[in-house]
């Protein structure tokens, strides 16, 4: 079986509605997935929702709903948003699915049987209000636990622990031997430091008296499993890892390992420590440890988004207001993958008007109009345009190098550089002058052909980010929809008839300030 490009996103927590950070991660992953499809690869793109856990149970209680009902309601919001934003995932990971719960239990049981999970008792300070154990980190300067914790009591609790510390040295040696494990590289260094400090095992159970909304431990019905153990397993359960009698099968092995796209806050410890160690303990080989692409945060007003700050920008409203393409393009063009970005609605509008409406939209419109006016929309292949084609090829090479490194902002910069080049070419060639001089007929043909050919390639390059606009461009250029990178090598045929121009990116009019 040919190797499939398997890409996953973090599964979004269903304790609250989706925000712009969720949208950014899903769009980034969608763009990478679409790009790999366009390279002719088989792609399996998985995303979904994290439905269990204490916060979901608490949010549900506040609204007087059963956790399942509450999680289902929030899940609907995520699904509606991803549909609106044009996500092209192949599978949907919802952690309340019976198949997933079954795989989580099978893995827990096999780790328990292998002696990787043990029971122990723990005594500590427990906040009744926040329903969590407190450590010295939670103490104030006076050494006391602050009022935000409510009543704090000392309790002893029996729980199940996963032998994390035992695998610390393996993880360090794995990281050292695999410099490309985490992208960008500075995050790998950060992870290594954290692993060096690792001590202690991971508590993977919660007594049902405290938390009911989870997956019951297969070896003790008095407990559910910790939400992170449940959530991480989605990557393999929905990848088909254990959907028969035994773990692993040809289909799963043809996909795995996946590229995990996650935000910077969940690298340490969840994805960079717990997950590789769980997989290693479950018998996954070093070659089967999944690489991590860690993106930055979308910030609002310089602050991390929080409900209490009231600075949540609703991606559904933005998409409604400006269209999904405008939002997708803005996020992919302005966020440098791996870095944080400050969200700005003004920048979104400026990017749309400048790059899409002016540079690309006008280029398409002018080219089609001139071809129609001067040549009845028929383009003639020039005798020698090797230099022009070589320049296009160089842009495509730069674009693919950037996309292969997940740098969507730099790839778009390269593509839009080609649009800028075409606009400058129109100014220097002045087709309206060439049209007046019969001696320049061949030159006019060459200019129109070269512009149409560049637009054809541009429709391919923008397609992962702007699939709808790419299809619209293809229709206007009268070329098949869904061309791939391989089609770059086959320029427009001599005598190709272009289609009729219609505005692709109508300008967003900004109401004058009052
Ligand atoms: O962490 N900018 O869920 P989550 C960019 N359920 N990305 C952001 C962001 C922001 N402002 N805020 C959050 C969880 N994210 C777990 C994951 S995976 C097995 C379980 C990213 O809903 C965050 O980094 O809190 C994460 O990758 C994703 O959104 C979901 O966050």
């Amino acid at each position: 079986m040919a190797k499939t490009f398997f890409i996953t996103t973090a599964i979004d927590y269903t304790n609250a509605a989706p925000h712009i950070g969720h949208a950014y991660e899903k769009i980034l992953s969608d763009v990478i997935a679409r790009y790999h499809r366009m390279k002719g690869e088989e792609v399996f793109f998985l995303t979904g929702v994290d439905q269990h856990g204490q916060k979901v149970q608490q949010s549900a209680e506040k609204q007087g709903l059963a956790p399942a009902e509450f999680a289902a309601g929030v899940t609907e919001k995520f699904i509606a948003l991803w549909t609106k934003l044009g996500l092209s995932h192949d599978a949907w990971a919802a952690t309340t699915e019976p198949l997933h719960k079954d795989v989580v239990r099978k893995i827990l049981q096999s780790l328990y049987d292998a002696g990787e999970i043990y029971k122990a008792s723990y005594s500590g300070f427990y906040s009744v209000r926040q329903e969590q154990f407190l450590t010295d980190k939670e103490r104030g300067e006076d050494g006391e636990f602050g009022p935000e914790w409510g009543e704090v009591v000392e309790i002893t609790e029996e729980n199940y622990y996963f032998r994390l510390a035992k695998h610390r040295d393996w993880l360090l040696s794995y990281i050292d031997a695999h410099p490309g494990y985490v992208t960008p590289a500075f995050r790998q260094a950060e992870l290594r430091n954290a692993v060096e400090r690792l001590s202690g095992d991971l508590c993977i159970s919660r007594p049902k008296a405290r938390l009911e909304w989870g997956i019951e431990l297969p070896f003790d019905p008095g407990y559910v499993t910790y939400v992170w153990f449940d959530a991480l397993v989605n990557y393999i359960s929905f990848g088909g890892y254990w959907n028969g009698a035994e773990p692993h099968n040809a289909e799963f092995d043809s996909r795995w390992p996946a590229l995990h796209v996650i935000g910077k806050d969940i690298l340490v410890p969840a994805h960079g420590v717990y997950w590789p160690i769980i997989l290693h303990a479950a018998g996954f080989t070093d070659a089967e440890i999944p690489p991590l692409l860690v993106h930055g945060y979308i910030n609002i007003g310089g602050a991390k988004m929080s409900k209490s700050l009231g600075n949540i920008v609703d991606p559904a409203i933005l998409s409604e207001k400006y269209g999904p393409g405008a939002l997708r393009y803005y996020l992919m063009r302005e966020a440098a993958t791996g870095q944080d970005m400050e969200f700005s609605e003004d920048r979104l509008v400026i990017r749309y008007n400048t790059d899409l409406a002016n540079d690309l939209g006008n280029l398409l419109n002018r080219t089609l109009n001139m071809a129609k006016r001067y040549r009845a929309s028929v383009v003639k292949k020039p005798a020698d345009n090797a230099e022009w084609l070589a320049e296009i090829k160089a842009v495509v090479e730069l674009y693919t190098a950037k996309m292969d490194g997940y740098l969507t902002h730099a790839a778009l910069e390269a593509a839009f550089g080609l649009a800028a080049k075409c606009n400058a070419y129109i100014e220097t060639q002045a087709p309206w002058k060439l049209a007046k001089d019969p001696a320049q007929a061949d030159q006019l043909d060459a200019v129109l052909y070269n512009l149409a050919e560049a637009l054809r390639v541009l429709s391919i390059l923008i397609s992962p980010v702007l699939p709808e606009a790419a299809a619209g461009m293809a229709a206007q250029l009268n070329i098949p929809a869904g061309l791939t990178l391989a089609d770059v090598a086959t320029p427009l045929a001599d005598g190709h008839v272009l289609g009729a121009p219609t505005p692709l990116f109508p300008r967003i009019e900004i109401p004058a300030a009052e």
Side-chain angles (χ1 to χ4, degrees), residues 162-185:
F162 171 58
R163 294 191 191 282
L164 205 62
K166 170 182 150 186
H167 300 290
R168 190 191 84 121
D169 290 346
W170 164 76
L171 184 54
L172 281 177
S173 66
Y174 176 80
I175 292 172
D176 289 341
H178 298 84
Y181 170 42
V182 185
T183 303

Side-chain angles (χ1 to χ4, degrees), residues 281-333:
F284 282 69
T285 64
D286 284 9
E288 292 172 332
I289 299 301
L292 305 172
L293 171 59
V294 183
H295 63 75
Y297 254 50
I298 307 299
N299 294 320
I300 294 165
K304 208 174 132 168
M305 267 175 280
S306 82
K307 266 187 287 183
S308 54
L309 287 174
N311 59 0
I312 295 195
V313 169
D314 187 339
I317 293 175
L318 289 170
S319 165
E320 196 61 47
K321 209 165 151 188
Y322 303 114
L327 182 59
R328 288 174 66 103
Y329 179 75
Y330 162 71
L331 290 171
M332 292 301 99
R333 178 64 185 83

